[in-house]
Amino acid sequence: MDKLLSGKKILIMGAANKRSIAWGCAQSMLDNGAELIFTYQNERLKKSLNRLVQDEDRLIECDVSSDESIEKAFGQVADRFGKIDGIVHAIAFAKKEELAGDIMNSSREGYALAQNISAYSLIAVAKYGIKILNDPASIVTLTYFGSERAIPNYNVMGVAKAALEANVRYLARDMAKYGVRVNAISAGAVKTLAVTGVKDHGDLLRLSRERTVDGESVTTEQIGGAASFLVSDLSTGVVGDVIYVDKGVHLI
């Protein structure tokens, strides 16, 4: 019997280690029968990803701060795998010093960097992704509640996530003519390498856990399940949405 994602090829951008949300998405998609391709930013991150994915053909270098790198990477994807059915964009970055204290102390450079990597990169990925995506296809990105609420210390990343969610809506409108739907998952706070860059992240994780409906933190597997749905044919009517997978934290 076919699985939910049988026959689908999905590009995962942003998997760093087994704790990352992107890897939780990858695991769910593999369990559901998908064929996966992964991008990595540089050789250091490739070494980390190699511990999870041994097939070198499925690892493609891509630095989303460079249009040339994205275009080259997507060309390699097409050469090796042909057209694909989905992209998971799980990429965000801000300097550690920007994720503490008052937002008024954010630097112009740090603010711009967070926007470039965490928000604009989705537009760049969509622009070059048009050439390698099937019709229909799906792009899914990862956001967080800090886009809506002033989470302590989240600062420039919260602003970048708000921009990312606006990008989702505009891209959903404009990518529709290519048969590509665009959505976001607002994931609950999970102990990943990324969250450790936020000052007092332990308090953030504790408060998030306390505000879930059952007192237990959401898992990367649960987030991955939602991502599998969004790249599947079951979600063809879901367009330009932000879906919360935080076990109810956003309700309080």
Side-chain angles (χ1 to χ4, degrees), residues 29-246:
M29 291 175 190
L30 283 171
D31 290 345
N32 281 287
E35 179 182 355
L36 301 184
I37 308 123
F38 297 84
T39 66
Y40 60 91
Q41 182 190 5
N42 52 40
E43 285 299 314
R44 179 180 62 83
L45 290 173
K46 182 183 180 183
K47 288 179 182 177
S48 178
L49 191 54
N50 259 143
R51 299 189 186 103
L52 305 173
V53 182
Q54 283 73 50
D55 186 349
E56 286 280 332
D57 250 11
R58 298 190 176 277
L59 302 180
I60 294 175
E61 184 174 4
C62 182
D63 180 351
V64 296
S65 68
S66 162
D67 285 349
E68 292 77 11
S69 180
I70 299 170
E71 187 172 25
K72 180 181 177 182
F74 285 11
Q76 290 175 336
V77 170
D79 289 344
R80 296 182 197 177
F81 303 97
K83 288 211 166 186
I84 63 173
D85 303 287
I87 298 172
V88 175
H89 173 278
I91 298 170
F93 180 78
K95 291 182 178 181
K96 191 167 184 176
E97 56 266 31
E98 306 287 345
L99 301 176
D102 296 338
I103 196 168
M104 300 86 74
N105 296 325
S106 303
S107 69
R108 189 179 298 271
E109 177 192 8
Y111 184 100
L113 179 64
Q115 288 285 340
N116 185 21
I117 304 302
S118 310
Y120 179 77
S121 65
L122 180 66
I123 294 176
V125 164
K127 176 182 177 179
Y128 295 104
I130 290 169
K131 300 174 184 178
I132 66 168
L133 285 165
N134 278 318
D135 176 0
S138 173
I139 296 175
V140 180
T141 191
L142 274 298
T143 185
Y144 174 61
F145 194 39
S147 64
E148 301 174 50
R149 302 291 176 88
I151 303 296
N153 300 310
Y154 203 58
N155 297 354
V156 297
M157 188 56 74
V159 178
K161 290 297 189 184
L164 179 71
E165 291 175 19
N167 288 346
V168 165
R169 292 185 284 273
Y170 281 96
L171 284 170
R173 178 196 68 187
D174 294 341
M175 295 289 283
K177 59 181 170 284
Y178 302 101
V180 180
R181 60 194 184 276
V182 184
N183 293 286
I185 293 172
S186 184
V190 181
K191 190 174 183 181
T192 61
L193 182 63
V195 82
T196 60
V198 180
K199 184 183 178 184
D200 298 330
H201 63 272
D203 292 339
L204 173 63
L205 291 167
R206 177 181 53 78
L207 284 170
S208 181
R209 183 176 62 252
E210 289 173 355
R211 293 184 182 190
T212 62
V213 292
D214 62 0
E216 298 291 336
S217 296
V218 69
T219 65
T220 57
E221 291 81 8
Q222 289 168 329
I223 298 164
S228 290
F229 162 71
L230 286 173
V231 298
S232 79
D233 292 337
L234 293 179
S235 69
T236 53
V238 182
V239 178
D241 265 335
V242 177
I243 295 178
Y244 292 93
V245 187
D246 64 2

